[in-house]
Amino acid sequence: MNEQPNPGSVRSRSDQPSAKNHALLAYWPALLVGLAGLALSSLLLWTRQAQESASEQARVHHELSAIRTRLEAVAQATFSPTLGLEAMIQLDAGISNARFEALAGRVVKLLPQVRSSVAAPDDVARYVYPLAGNQAVLNLDYRSIPVQYQQILDARRLGRPLLVGPVQLVQGGQGIIQRTPIFLPTAASPELDKQAAYWGVISVVADLSRFVDASGLGEHKNLRLALYQTQADQRSIAAPVWSEASLAQQTGSVIQFVQMPGAVWALAAAPIAPLSGGASPSSLKFAAEITASVLASTALAMLAALLVYRRRLLQAQNLAMSNEVQQRAQSQSELQAAQTRFRSLAEISADWVWEQDEQLRFSFISRLADEHGQHNPQRLLGRFRWDSPNLSAGIDWDGHRAVLARHEAFRDFEYSHLDDAGQLRYVSISGTPVFDTEGKFKGYRGTGRDISAARRAEAALRQSEQDLTLAHDHLQAVLDAALEFSIIATDLEGRIGLFNRGAEQMLGYAEAEMLGHTPALIHLQGEIEARAAELSESHGRRVEGFEAFVLQAREHGIETRIWTYIRKDGSHLEVSLTVSCLQDSDGHASGYLGIARDITAQRRAERELVTLNAGLESRVEQRTAELSRTLETLKQAQMELLRAEKMAALGSLVAGIAHELNTPLGNCLTTASTLHDLTQQTRRNFEGGQMRRSVLDAYLNDADIACSILLRSMSTANELVAHFKQVSVDQTTAQRRQFGLLSVVDDVLSLLRPRLRKAGIALEVKADQSRDLDSFPGPLGQVLTNLVMNAVLHAFDGESASTPLLSIRTEALPVAKEDSEATEFLLVVEDNGVGMSSEVKRRAFDPFFTTKMGHGGTGLGLNIVYNIVTGILGGQIELHSEPKMGSRFTLRIPYTAPQLKGADKLD
């Protein structure tokens, strides 16, 4: 069976597209809400992005303002030394190297980014600190370097500092340089004449990398920063100074202009993009908001309106915040500049700054207080001023505290204290009360000044005034007491202004009679004219009147000359007048002072003395001739006595030799006669035939004994004669030759031993000198003879308890460094006799002095010794003697005697 199709089912299939469309149309509110949600979500996304961008811009502006403030502060601190140097140079019209190094050195130590400071008067670098490493800069003429000189010309043309950078530094790295022209004030105009008053330029070089580090530009991890120069309009960016060159042109970068000391630079900043690789919290939050907006399409419209409102509110807040940030940055910049100026002025000011809190305790004291107070100011922080150490007594602290309690300003309150060195210092302070915005008292702020120098100067001035008054009184008293001197003072024209009492007594005039007159009134006109003519001839111009008295004093300061004064009664006085030129404090002549002394009696005495001297000269010449003749007679007598002494010494030797020869010659005679008798007897026995062997043997023994006696006696006599011959020849001829010292000693002592044995004096000889002498043996022997005979005659008088002993010895002297061998030796003659008193020892070598006058002494023995040793032998002699301690003669004799004038042979 065939089934018919169901019309309903057929309609259902044919209507499916239209149903779907209808269903879609039925969901049009949902679609509309979805579209509205999408639109609101898009609007929300755009709004949040704009909000984030505005917030980011505000954050960057805020951080960049802080960075700019710090950069300006560091720049002001880095280049602030030029303010102190400029003020110092303008004040003193220059600067010394010590002051330059003191200020520049302090800056370099405190600011590590500052490399060097250079002061160039007349554009030539005369002062450089530090000099180490910068020697090439010293005395550099900037005009020889076009680039740097153009910078100096630009700064000079602008009349203010000019900051240049970056500059490639010779020492390595990059730097920035500030050129500051210095102009001195002139008296013609209160303003600076920048052409006529130009002094030079000061250059401060800072290391760019250290400057950047000090400014904190490299410390920001979330910002990219760059620093640029600006064009002449100071609003267009020019060449980069530091970091990225293209940062300023990038989208989203923020630019602020920095007021540098000498330039306007631009500071650019841009935020660093977040790292990729995950969804940020903000993107998740955006997704959540979009989802919420799709689910709540109705709320989206209200939320959109709310967001729009919120966006506008945030924009307004961001704008207000940005304005507030800029205002705060500007205020901070002005405050920093004011602090920099204040610190610069405090550095060069003689005052210091202090602050007290509301309890009147010190809360701040500037650094200079320690320089003026000589103690550490930190010890005073938290203490009252009247608790300062070592305060002086007598200060009205109660009145000062009363002023402070009333919160009143005060000026020039002074007190004193002892510094750490124990020196009294005076301090003057001024202060003003400080109140907050609500009028609440917060303390005091003021300045202090060390006025010790002023107080000492005042004390010195008072003392000087007292001394001046005292000196004036003393001077007046001296003038009044100088009655023996005439003191007259005149002005430059010669008018008398001072006429002391001495002048009144000397001249007979009263002071009132002479005031206003010239000194010509008391002088001889002829003397004045003669002196004027003399000065006219010597100076080549006409000199007359009062100038004749004072010309030499005006040129040389003082002149002393003899003049004739005319007294009031007409009598004349001869005076020694000293004229001095008086000067004022500026060194200009202000008058003349004449001091005269009456020398009339002195001149009269001098003339009498001249007359007396003329008579005395003839008498002196006559007496001199007589004395000369007497002296010649004495010299001849002395020579005769010396010869007599020498012959007496030889005579003494002859007597001794004769005595010594008697014994050996007597023995010879006795033996010879005995031998002659024995020989005659033996001959008779031989001729008579009675010769026996025993008789012949006895005769031969006796003959042998007699011959021995004869030989020994003749040998002794021969030796004595030989010694005497040598001594007599040496002493009579005084011939120079080479000889051994021991031979001379033996010759002399062989002749003197009989005298020594007769006197009972033991002899000790230690003359072991082996080196020959080139000298005079005769005079040397005579010296030994005189010394031995002097000891025999004077040293032993029988009072000595010990055995008389005479010692002769030699001693070697050390060899000098410049000599190969010794040039001198010592010959010592010493006895253990009675010695000498100090008076006898002092006169021992004087001629004709003897303690045995009339008992065989002539007083010439030791004088001859002294003359021979110091003259012919060229040596020295010393005498050491004490009573009852014996005497010692020490002769220092050269091995080679000096050459004598004339021949070496002396009579």
Side-chain angles (χ1 to χ4, degrees), residues 877-893:
I877 184 170
E878 293 182 2
L879 171 60
H880 302 275
S881 182
E882 296 292 339
K884 298 182 180 181
M885 298 295 292
S887 302
R888 183 174 70 254
F889 293 89
T890 303
L891 285 66
R892 189 184 186 100
I893 302 175

Side-chain angles (χ1 to χ4, degrees), residues 816-838:
K817 293 183 178 179
E818 61 273 9
D819 298 328
S820 58
E821 59 183 357
T823 60
E824 296 176 324
F825 69 95
L826 295 182
L827 178 61
V828 181
V829 180
E830 186 176 8
D831 63 71
N832 62 348
V834 297
M836 304 180 190
S837 64
S838 59

Side-chain angles (χ1 to χ4, degrees), residues 739 741-742 744-745 749 764-769 773 779-785 787-788 807-813 824-830 865 869 873 876-880 888-895:
F739 61 93
L741 177 65
L742 188 57
V744 175
V745 174
L749 294 181
E764 183 182 81
V765 180
K766 294 182 179 179
D768 54 353
Q769 184 67 36
L773 281 69
L780 181 57
Q782 187 175 358
V783 167
L784 288 173
T785 301
L787 291 176
V788 172
S807 172
I808 299 176
R809 67 179 185 274
T810 59
E811 296 180 4
L813 291 175
E824 296 176 324
F825 69 95
L826 295 182
L827 178 61
V828 181
V829 180
E830 186 176 8
V865 169
V869 172
L873 301 181
Q876 301 174 4
I877 184 170
E878 293 182 2
L879 171 60
H880 302 275
R888 183 174 70 254
F889 293 89
T890 303
L891 285 66
R892 189 184 186 100
I893 302 175
Y895 285 99

Side-chain angles (χ1 to χ4, degrees), residues 527-773:
E527 284 189 353
I528 300 175
E529 293 176 355
R531 180 57 175 166
E534 180 183 347
L535 293 175
S536 299
E537 182 179 356
S538 62
H539 286 74
R541 63 180 182 85
R542 183 177 178 83
V543 177
E544 59 183 358
F546 179 70
E547 193 177 12
F549 296 106
V550 300
L551 179 59
Q552 291 293 96
R554 187 169 62 227
E555 294 180 351
H556 304 289
I558 191 172
E559 182 196 24
T560 300
R561 187 177 178 84
I562 296 176
W563 293 87
T564 301
Y565 272 180
I566 304 175
R567 302 183 77 252
K568 186 176 182 180
D569 58 6
S571 59
H572 291 181
L573 296 175
E574 289 185 273
V575 297
S576 174
L577 176 61
T578 300
V579 180
S580 304
C581 181
L582 304 178
Q583 296 180 344
D584 57 17
S585 58
D586 296 329
H588 300 132
S590 61
Y592 301 96
L593 178 66
I595 301 177
R597 179 171 57 89
D598 186 359
I599 61 172
T600 303
Q602 176 184 340
R603 296 283 289 177
R604 185 184 308 111
E606 289 177 354
R607 288 189 290 269
E608 294 175 355
L609 183 61
V610 169
T611 304
L612 179 62
N613 288 338
L616 287 175
E617 286 180 1
S618 61
R619 295 173 61 187
V620 169
E621 291 177 358
Q622 181 181 359
R623 295 297 296 274
T624 302
E626 295 175 357
L627 290 174
S628 298
R629 290 192 294 271
T630 304
L631 180 60
E632 185 65 27
T633 303
L634 288 175
K635 287 183 178 179
Q636 293 178 0
Q638 185 177 9
M639 294 300 296
E640 292 297 329
L641 287 173
L642 290 176
R643 292 190 185 96
E645 181 70 17
K646 183 184 295 185
M647 296 308 295
L650 288 176
S652 177
L653 290 177
V654 170
I657 289 298
H659 182 272
E660 288 297 312
L661 287 175
N662 281 335
T663 300
L665 292 178
N667 292 336
C668 288
L669 180 61
T670 302
T671 303
S673 61
T674 301
L675 182 60
H676 181 267
D677 293 340
L678 290 174
T679 302
Q680 292 296 329
Q681 182 64 36
T682 302
R683 181 178 293 276
R684 285 192 297 270
N685 291 334
F686 176 74
E687 291 177 351
Q690 298 178 359
M691 179 65 67
R692 294 193 300 272
R693 183 179 180 86
S694 59
V695 174
L696 180 61
D697 186 55
Y699 171 75
L700 291 176
N701 289 333
D702 291 337
D704 184 48
I705 293 173
C707 289
S708 297
I709 293 173
L710 288 172
L711 289 173
R712 186 165 57 251
S713 298
M714 294 304 294
S715 177
T716 301
N718 182 62
E719 183 180 355
L720 289 174
V721 171
H723 284 303
F724 174 73
K725 180 181 178 181
Q726 183 64 49
V727 170
S728 62
V729 170
D730 286 339
Q731 292 191 7
T732 55
T733 61
Q735 186 176 5
R736 182 188 186 115
R737 64 183 175 88
Q738 290 188 351
F739 61 93
L741 177 65
L742 188 57
S743 65
V744 175
V745 174
D746 289 341
D747 290 340
V748 173
L749 294 181
S750 65
L751 303 178
L752 296 177
R753 279 191 178 93
R755 294 289 299 272
L756 295 174
R757 285 197 300 270
K758 183 178 180 181
I761 300 174
L763 181 64
E764 183 182 81
V765 180
K766 294 182 179 179
D768 54 353
Q769 184 67 36
S770 61
R771 181 177 170 186
D772 288 346
L773 281 69

